[in-house]
Amino acid sequence: MASIREVAEEAGFAPATVSRYLNGHIKLKPSTQKKIEDAIDKLGYRGNGLARRLATGKSETLGFVTTDISYPFFASIASAAEREATRLGYALAVFNTRNDIMREMQILSYLQTRQLDGVIIMTNHTQTEDLATQITNDSHVVILDEDIPGAVGPRVFAENRQGGRLAARHFLENGHRSFAVISGPRGLISVEERIEGFKEELSVHGLSLPSDMIFSGPYSEETGGLGVDHFRNSPDRPTAMFATADNLCLGAIREANAANLKIPDDLSIIGFDDIPNADLLAPPLTTIRQGTAELGAESVRLMLGRLRGEIDPSVTTRIPVTLIERQSVRRMD
Amino acid sequence: MASIREVAEEAGFAPATVSRYLNGHIKLKPSTQKKIEDAIDKLGYRGNGLARRLATGKSETLGFVTTDISYPFFASIASAAEREATRLGYALAVFNTRNDIMREMQILSYLQTRQLDGVIIMTNHTQTEDLATQITNDSHVVILDEDIPGAVGPRVFAENRQGGRLAARHFLENGHRSFAVISGPRGLISVEERIEGFKEELSVHGLSLPSDMIFSGPYSEETGGLGVDHFRNSPDRPTAMFATADNLCLGAIREANAANLKIPDDLSIIGFDDIPNADLLAPPLTTIRQGTAELGAESVRLMLGRLRGEIDPSVTTRIPVTLIERQSVRRMD
DNA sequence: ATGGCATAGTAAACCGGTTTAGTTTTGTTT
DNA sequence: AAACAAAACTAAACCGGTTTACTATGCCAT
């Protein structure tokens, strides 16, 4: 790889001149421009991003942190974020952390060394104190989809509470009267807000959700299966089950199949996320759709706004949700 | 951020000493070690990866290029690659290209500037001349899942041909005699080898696949739907359809539902990939599983082997495939 | 001719590490 | 006590850009 000094020598000028010309900091007379351009062509000069970053302190790359890129919902958001970042002249590097705080901290530390200009972080656990302090110290982080309590920075969340309400309303409209919830870990915003919304809507109709009708666990398919198992053997078996994420539904469906429990005939379920191909499941899944395109794109826009200092760190954008009716809820009567 | 010079000054030694100590190039007497460690703690020194990379020419980061991170099969491979890379002391940055050659070229160019030590590339189109030359020039690329003809570098592919054979054999064992194929773009190795294997197995049993029973298009769900449409109206309607990727099946199932065509009763299908949750589709999809964990991990291992110069650029690793029997193939008779 | 002012271009320091070649200190032999 | 080797540590160059502060040149008006 040719360096800028080689180009400068070939063209007969100083490295500083070439650098400033290339960055548009200076105007040169046409003959000089030509000589520099020719030298660049001749040597195949491409510039060294690393050196530029070291010198300028900017990387023009954003990091996107996710716990599990193989969960389609997260992958969709990442994909949308990449699109928006590219459109705005940034590269997006996606990092998979498998819910490992150390990995998350490591990626955040890339900020300090300016290997990344900003980090959009989607995390998934409740032990977030260390993360919170590190994020607050650094003003280049956007929090996406799941909260990191105590951290200062712009946030992008779905209308979780509204999602919970929509689910409850749909169950009610279909004549259900006994409810259960399967959720991810208590304490997560996606869990608490969605459950709150669900309860709110029930209470509007004079109904309630006993706390023993909430089954929680890690956000894994297994939890969904365990939940079905749990409620199947419970004294008052619910007819309607709201899951705070579609992957819980996947486990639930799998377990229901194994237990010969028919969905929706024996048990109705509503999920959350609307993962790709939720329409092709057996049964097609009724679920609360979060707009992945908006979540991804908005997080990038907030990130760049933040980098330019145009955005207040305390903003929280809420992305609307919609109920997608399919066939996992039985009409009671 | 504290620099190594500040640490050195605080500790009362030279920057070179600190650097060499930290890299284990030198042994220091305990008292010196202690002073340096104390200075590091006191200043919160973390090192600057950018500067280290510029100086050493190594980034300890691998790039993973995929056309569409939101396709679960690709996401699974990326996830496995990340795991293996982390295990071996490397970071993995995933890049989404949406099949845009310019983006792919851009990421490959990060190699020249040593922003990435190596790139694992999973591409998906047939116009690959420019890519091929750039890859050949650079010896830090591993080609994964889909070939880039003409490029020199280690490759990791599934046993595509064997997959095609397994699909055909399964159809034959279930009594099918009229076949069709829906495929991605002709020219891709995943298309050609799988079709070849399928034909081979048929010919062993004295059967053949007329060329007008192959429907090709981009690797999108839409193509799957169009394929179903196409064969539904064809004079000799096939009973068995082999799709060279599961996402084609997703489109096919969707279209079949819309056209009130029952799978597997009216049409049997076998897919390829075994995307996550293929077991929960309606119907549960019989498909050829490619081991995503092996594909991802092996590509990383080959990459590191290549970086160390231990691996011949012409090696091609083949990852075994297995047929996963579910319920999308009807037993005829 | 002279002053004033763009315009064109550059030297040198800097970003924050690593590495080479070498110097100084310490310890062991004889 | 001198000679020598080993151990401990460092100066300075380097990676490849950017940026600041400055000089040299040309042009015009007076």
Side-chain angles (χ1 to χ4, degrees), chain A residues 226-235 237-238 255-256 258-261:
Chain A
L226 293 172
V228 164
D229 225 43
H230 175 77
F231 291 121
R232 193 160 57 93
N233 302 319
S234 83
R237 213 160 118 171
E255 178 64 19
N260 206 24
L261 195 71

Side-chain angles (χ1 to χ4, degrees), chain B residues 216-275:
Chain B
S216 303
Y219 259 136
S220 64
E221 295 190 12
E222 192 189 4
T223 299
L226 293 174
V228 164
D229 224 43
H230 175 78
F231 290 122
R232 192 161 57 93
N233 302 319
S234 80
D236 36 15
R237 216 160 115 171
T239 64
M241 204 174 75
F242 171 48
T244 64
D246 282 352
N247 67 342
L248 299 174
C249 290
L250 297 173
I253 293 173
R254 209 170 265 125
E255 177 65 19
N257 290 344
N260 205 25
L261 194 72
K262 300 271 178 278
I263 297 177
D265 298 342
D266 301 328
L267 178 65
S268 294
I269 62 175
I270 296 181
F272 211 109
D273 291 347
D274 192 28
I275 56 174

Side-chain angles (χ1 to χ4, degrees), chain B:
Chain B
M1 283 303 296
S3 75
I4 201 169
R5 282 170 235 268
E6 296 175 88
V7 170
E9 186 170 359
E10 175 75 27
F13 298 92
T17 307
V18 177
S19 171
R20 299 183 62 197
Y21 166 64
L22 255 25
N23 289 298
H25 295 342
I26 196 181
K27 260 184 217 153
L28 299 179
K29 54 183 180 187
S31 65
T32 307
Q33 288 187 24
K34 173 114 179 32
K35 281 180 199 152
I36 290 179
E37 295 290 356
D38 287 350
I40 288 174
D41 285 349
K42 178 169 173 197
L43 300 176
Y45 173 73
R46 313 276 236 80
N48 180 316
L50 236 39
R52 180 178 312 110
R53 292 175 191 190
L54 182 58
T56 61
K58 307 203 160 295
S59 70
E60 274 153 26
T61 301
L62 302 180
F64 187 95
V65 173
T66 166
T67 55
D68 180 11
I69 194 66
S70 66
Y71 183 50
F73 173 69
F74 295 154
S76 291
I77 297 176
S79 183
E82 184 277 332
R83 188 181 312 251
E84 184 71 2
T86 301
R87 197 176 71 80
L88 298 172
Y90 277 73
L92 189 84
V94 178
F95 297 91
N96 207 40
T97 62
R98 285 169 280 127
N99 235 358
D100 177 347
I101 293 207
M102 293 318 294
R103 295 263 303 130
E104 291 171 339
M105 300 284 278
Q106 180 192 357
I107 292 156
L108 286 175
S109 80
Y110 288 171
L111 287 170
Q112 260 118 25
T113 56
R114 314 277 34 212
Q115 304 185 44
L116 295 173
D117 280 358
V119 167
I120 296 167
I121 185 166
M122 224 172 17
T123 181
N124 209 332
H125 41 66
T126 45
Q127 301 281 308
T128 50
E129 299 79 13
D130 293 348
L131 278 180
T133 49
Q134 195 168 348
I135 290 172
T136 304
N137 290 341
D138 209 295
S139 59
H140 306 296
V141 178
V142 167
I143 297 166
L144 176 60
D145 186 55
E146 199 69 81
D147 199 18
I148 299 178
V152 172
R155 290 164 157 79
V156 184
F157 299 139
E159 294 271 16
N160 291 311
R161 195 177 303 263
Q162 171 68 1
R165 297 193 71 141
L166 291 174
R169 193 173 308 159
H170 188 68
F171 279 140
L172 289 167
E173 284 169 359
N174 281 277
H176 289 268
R177 286 295 176 275
S178 67
F179 310 96
V181 169
I182 297 184
S183 83
R186 293 309 297 246
L188 292 184
I189 194 173
S190 69
V191 171
E192 299 307 327
E193 291 187 346
R194 291 169 196 181
I195 291 178
E196 278 167 27
F198 193 80
K199 284 180 169 175
E200 266 172 33
E201 187 68 19
L202 290 188
S203 72
V204 167
H205 294 77
L207 295 166
S208 69
L209 182 77
S211 64
D212 63 347
M213 295 308 276
I214 301 178
F215 182 91
S216 303
Y219 259 136
S220 64
E221 295 190 12
E222 192 189 4
T223 299
L226 293 174
V228 164
D229 224 43
H230 175 78
F231 290 122
R232 192 161 57 93
N233 302 319
S234 80
D236 36 15
R237 216 160 115 171
T239 64
M241 204 174 75
F242 171 48
T244 64
D246 282 352
N247 67 342
L248 299 174
C249 290
L250 297 173
I253 293 173
R254 209 170 265 125
E255 177 65 19
N257 290 344
N260 205 25
L261 194 72
K262 300 271 178 278
I263 297 177
D265 298 342
D266 301 328
L267 178 65
S268 294
I269 62 175
I270 296 181
F272 211 109
D273 291 347
D274 192 28
I275 56 174
N277 307 315
D279 60 325
L280 294 180
L281 297 174
L285 188 64
T286 296
T287 186
I288 308 297
R289 172 181 293 167
Q290 306 191 59
T292 53
E294 292 80 16
L295 283 166
E298 179 65 15
S299 65
V300 169
R301 285 192 292 266
L302 278 187
M303 181 84 257
L304 298 187
R306 182 90 176 98
L307 293 182
R308 291 197 214 89
E310 296 165 358
I311 283 192
D312 189 275
S314 66
V315 298
T316 296
T317 304
R318 290 283 180 170
I319 306 294
V321 298
T322 49
L323 183 134
I324 306 296
E325 183 174 355
R326 298 204 181 95
Q327 296 159 43
S328 63
V329 174
R330 173 184 170 194
R331 161 119 221 119
M332 305 295 276
D333 50 6

Side-chain angles (χ1 to χ4, degrees), chain A residues 14-57:
Chain A
T17 306
V18 178
S19 172
R20 297 183 64 197
Y21 166 62
L22 255 24
N23 290 298
H25 295 342
I26 197 181
K27 260 185 218 156
L28 297 179
K29 56 183 178 187
S31 66
T32 308
Q33 287 187 22
K34 173 114 178 35
K35 280 180 199 154
I36 291 179
E37 294 291 356
D38 287 352
I40 287 174
D41 286 350
K42 179 171 172 193
L43 300 176
Y45 173 74
R46 311 277 234 77
N48 180 318
L50 235 39
R52 180 177 313 110
R53 292 176 192 189
L54 182 58
T56 61

Side-chain angles (χ1 to χ4, degrees), chain A residues 157-159 162 288-291 294-295 317-322:
Chain A
F157 298 140
E159 292 272 15
Q162 171 68 358
I288 308 296
R289 172 180 293 168
Q290 306 191 56
E294 291 79 17
L295 284 166
T317 304
R318 290 283 180 169
I319 306 293
V321 299
T322 49

